[in-house]
Amino acid sequence: MSRVALVTGGTRGIGAAVCRALKDAGYTVAANYAGNDEAAAAFTRETGIATFKWDVSDFNACKAGVAEVAAKLGPVDVLVNNAGITRDGMLHKMSPEQWYAVINTNLNSVFNMCRQVIEGMRDRNFGRIVTISSINGQKGQMGQTNYSAAKAGEIGFTKALAQENARKGITVNAICPGYIGTEMVRAMPQDVLDKHVLPLIPVGRLGEPEEIARCVVFLVADEAAFITGSTLTANGGQYMA
């Protein structure tokens, strides 16, 4: 029986690429999503990957959602925390709603999801947790105090959880993408990309979602069992940590 992998924010962008790559690698994949039913249905039709709807910022919703995944597919062996949002703004103009929306969806969700699967992973002496952080959690970004704080928090969470579970066969790692050619990034005006984004990237191009997906497949493999508490940067040389 193949291992079960659950990917939050799994029906679009990087998450969708991760789901496809994990399926191709032989995992039984569950894709969580928050609200776009049409996109989720299209994703399932295209890939055959089951989708499950819940809000990762809600602890009880995560508890019920993970239980549903386990009942239908089996216990979760691999968790990829990918769900995230932005609510950008300079701090002196940022509303509490902007702050808490990002912290709850991007950072608190990592606790909400890991808490649902960690006991089972410990009981089975196996688990793989990968959290998709960001280059902006490493270097900060003007207009993104909320996002940068959440993404930096994910890195600290990763290091602590890795230490707690290293002797139980569980690895916990983070990936920090740079600018990736998702629908959101490619929606930027081409002149903005050409003048203000690409010159910052030494390799001279955007990353592809599939490149991040390959990082995930590597980290969750049996062969990566000696890698835990690590932060894998995938940013084309934009920030060398």
Side-chain angles (χ1 to χ4, degrees):
M1 184 176 180
S2 64
R3 287 179 172 146
V4 175
L6 170 57
V7 181
T8 67
T11 61
R12 302 170 68 188
I14 290 173
V18 170
C19 284
R20 292 188 183 96
L22 288 170
K23 182 182 179 183
D24 289 345
Y27 294 85
T28 299
V29 181
N32 152 268
Y33 72 103
N36 193 327
D37 295 324
E38 184 177 341
F43 178 76
T44 296
R45 286 194 301 271
E46 177 192 348
T47 64
I49 293 171
T51 57
F52 298 83
K53 182 179 181 179
W54 74 82
D55 178 0
V56 293
S57 72
D58 183 321
F59 182 86
N60 289 326
C62 291
K63 183 175 183 179
V66 172
E68 183 183 5
V69 171
K72 292 184 177 179
L73 302 180
V76 175
D77 302 300
V78 174
L79 171 64
V80 181
N81 293 304
N82 170 73
I85 62 171
T86 57
R87 298 289 185 270
D88 295 351
M90 302 292 278
L91 184 67
H92 63 279
K93 296 182 179 180
M94 185 175 290
S95 69
E97 290 76 18
Q98 287 174 290
W99 174 266
Y100 287 112
V102 170
I103 296 298
N104 287 334
T105 298
N106 296 20
L107 179 58
N108 290 344
S109 66
V110 177
F111 166 78
N112 293 342
M113 290 300 302
C114 289
R115 187 62 184 86
Q116 312 310 324
V117 302
I118 196 67
E119 289 187 71
M121 289 179 175
R122 288 173 64 88
D123 290 343
R124 296 188 299 275
N125 291 300
F126 179 85
R128 295 287 187 267
I129 297 172
V130 177
T131 295
I132 308 300
S133 181
S134 169
I135 186 175
N136 292 341
Q138 296 174 299
K139 71 175 187 61
Q141 177 61 42
M142 181 183 294
Q144 288 195 327
T145 52
N146 49 6
Y147 186 81
S148 296
K151 292 301 180 179
E154 291 174 357
I155 296 171
F157 181 100
T158 292
K159 293 177 184 294
L161 190 63
Q163 293 179 55
E164 292 181 7
N165 293 281
R167 292 186 180 273
K168 299 297 270 183
I170 301 165
T171 67
V172 190
N173 293 289
I175 299 172
C176 287
Y179 281 98
I180 305 300
T182 59
E183 179 182 334
M184 179 177 66
V185 171
R186 292 195 184 279
M188 296 172 64
Q190 190 62 46
D191 65 317
V192 173
L193 285 172
D194 292 340
K195 294 178 182 178
H196 301 291
V197 175
L198 295 180
L200 300 176
I201 306 172
V203 301
R205 65 173 178 85
L206 301 175
E208 295 297 335
E210 291 75 18
E211 292 178 299
I212 306 304
R214 286 193 287 274
C215 294
V216 173
V217 173
F218 165 67
L219 288 173
V220 303
D222 289 351
E223 293 80 2
F226 201 58
I227 301 172
T228 194
S230 294
T231 302
L232 177 57
T233 60
N235 60 38
Q238 182 181 351
Y239 182 78
M240 299 183 185

